[in-house]
Short mmCIF file of all heavy atoms in Angstrom, two decimals:
data_model
loop_
_atom_site.label_atom_id
_atom_site.label_comp_id
_atom_site.label_asym_id
_atom_site.label_seq_id
_atom_site.Cartn_x
_atom_site.Cartn_y
_atom_site.Cartn_z
N CYS B 293 -0.29 8.73 35.06
CA CYS B 293 0.28 7.52 35.63
C CYS B 293 -0.88 6.54 35.79
O CYS B 293 -2.04 6.93 35.78
CB CYS B 293 0.97 7.78 36.96
SG CYS B 293 -0.14 8.37 38.22
N SER B 299 -9.21 -5.07 39.97
CA SER B 299 -8.65 -5.51 38.70
C SER B 299 -8.76 -4.41 37.64
O SER B 299 -8.46 -4.63 36.48
CB SER B 299 -9.37 -6.77 38.23
OG SER B 299 -10.73 -6.46 38.08
N ARG B 306 -2.56 14.75 35.84
CA ARG B 306 -2.57 16.07 36.48
C ARG B 306 -2.27 17.07 35.37
O ARG B 306 -1.23 16.99 34.72
CB ARG B 306 -1.50 16.11 37.56
CG ARG B 306 -1.27 17.48 38.13
CD ARG B 306 -0.35 17.38 39.33
NE ARG B 306 0.26 18.66 39.60
CZ ARG B 306 1.20 18.86 40.51
NH1 ARG B 306 1.65 17.84 41.23
NH2 ARG B 306 1.70 20.06 40.71
N PHE B 308 -1.98 21.08 33.62
CA PHE B 308 -1.17 22.25 33.92
C PHE B 308 -1.77 23.11 35.04
O PHE B 308 -1.06 23.60 35.91
CB PHE B 308 -1.00 23.09 32.66
CG PHE B 308 -0.09 24.26 32.82
CD1 PHE B 308 1.27 24.05 33.01
CD2 PHE B 308 -0.57 25.56 32.79
CE1 PHE B 308 2.14 25.13 33.16
CE2 PHE B 308 0.30 26.63 32.94
CZ PHE B 308 1.64 26.42 33.14
N PHE B 313 -7.63 14.24 36.63
CA PHE B 313 -8.66 13.50 35.91
C PHE B 313 -8.35 12.02 35.99
O PHE B 313 -7.18 11.62 36.06
CB PHE B 313 -8.67 13.90 34.43
CG PHE B 313 -9.02 15.35 34.20
CD1 PHE B 313 -8.01 16.31 34.15
CD2 PHE B 313 -10.34 15.73 34.03
CE1 PHE B 313 -8.33 17.65 33.93
CE2 PHE B 313 -10.66 17.07 33.81
CZ PHE B 313 -9.66 18.03 33.76
N TYR B 325 -3.19 -1.47 27.53
CA TYR B 325 -3.43 -0.61 28.69
C TYR B 325 -2.34 0.45 28.77
O TYR B 325 -1.34 0.29 29.46
CB TYR B 325 -3.49 -1.46 29.96
CG TYR B 325 -4.74 -2.29 30.01
CD1 TYR B 325 -4.85 -3.45 29.26
CD2 TYR B 325 -5.84 -1.87 30.75
CE1 TYR B 325 -6.02 -4.20 29.26
CE2 TYR B 325 -7.01 -2.61 30.77
CZ TYR B 325 -7.10 -3.78 30.03
OH TYR B 325 -8.25 -4.50 30.03
N THR B 334 -4.04 20.11 25.27
CA THR B 334 -5.39 20.65 25.12
C THR B 334 -5.78 20.63 23.66
O THR B 334 -4.92 20.64 22.78
CB THR B 334 -5.47 22.12 25.59
OG1 THR B 334 -4.53 22.90 24.83
CG2 THR B 334 -5.19 22.25 27.06
N VAL B 338 -9.92 22.16 25.68
CA VAL B 338 -10.39 21.00 26.45
C VAL B 338 -9.14 20.19 26.82
O VAL B 338 -8.27 19.98 25.98
CB VAL B 338 -11.32 20.14 25.56
CG1 VAL B 338 -11.60 18.81 26.21
CG2 VAL B 338 -12.59 20.89 25.26
N ALA B 342 -3.33 11.99 24.30
CA ALA B 342 -3.26 11.30 23.01
C ALA B 342 -2.75 9.89 23.27
O ALA B 342 -1.74 9.71 23.95
CB ALA B 342 -2.32 12.04 22.06
N VAL B 349 -6.93 11.20 20.12
CA VAL B 349 -6.97 12.12 21.26
C VAL B 349 -8.29 11.95 22.02
O VAL B 349 -9.35 11.84 21.41
CB VAL B 349 -6.79 13.56 20.75
CG1 VAL B 349 -7.05 14.57 21.85
CG2 VAL B 349 -5.38 13.73 20.19
N ALA B 353 -11.97 15.07 30.43
CA ALA B 353 -13.11 15.30 31.32
C ALA B 353 -14.26 14.36 31.01
O ALA B 353 -14.96 13.90 31.91
CB ALA B 353 -13.56 16.76 31.21
N LEU B 358 -11.89 12.42 20.56
CA LEU B 358 -12.15 13.60 19.73
C LEU B 358 -11.83 13.34 18.27
O LEU B 358 -12.08 14.17 17.41
CB LEU B 358 -11.33 14.79 20.24
CG LEU B 358 -11.61 15.18 21.70
CD1 LEU B 358 -10.75 16.37 22.11
CD2 LEU B 358 -13.07 15.52 21.88
N ALA B 364 -15.50 6.18 23.15
CA ALA B 364 -15.22 6.89 24.40
C ALA B 364 -14.63 5.92 25.40
O ALA B 364 -14.84 4.71 25.30
CB ALA B 364 -16.50 7.50 24.96
N VAL B 365 -13.87 6.43 26.35
CA VAL B 365 -13.39 5.58 27.43
C VAL B 365 -14.12 6.00 28.71
O VAL B 365 -14.62 7.12 28.82
CB VAL B 365 -11.86 5.70 27.64
CG1 VAL B 365 -11.12 5.16 26.44
CG2 VAL B 365 -11.45 7.13 27.92
N VAL B 370 -12.91 11.75 40.68
CA VAL B 370 -11.65 11.81 41.41
C VAL B 370 -11.68 13.03 42.33
O VAL B 370 -12.32 14.03 42.02
CB VAL B 370 -10.46 11.85 40.41
CG1 VAL B 370 -10.65 12.93 39.38
CG2 VAL B 370 -9.13 11.99 41.09
N LEU B 372 -9.55 15.14 45.93
CA LEU B 372 -8.36 15.28 46.73
C LEU B 372 -8.78 15.38 48.17
O LEU B 372 -9.67 16.14 48.52
CB LEU B 372 -7.67 16.57 46.32
CG LEU B 372 -6.21 16.71 46.62
CD1 LEU B 372 -5.45 15.59 45.94
CD2 LEU B 372 -5.73 18.05 46.10
#
Side-chain angles (χ1 to χ4, degrees):
Chain B
C293 63
S299 60
R306 171 171 160 186
F308 185 68
F313 297 90
Y325 289 78
T334 58
V338 169
V349 171
L358 301 180
V365 294
V370 52
L372 201 59

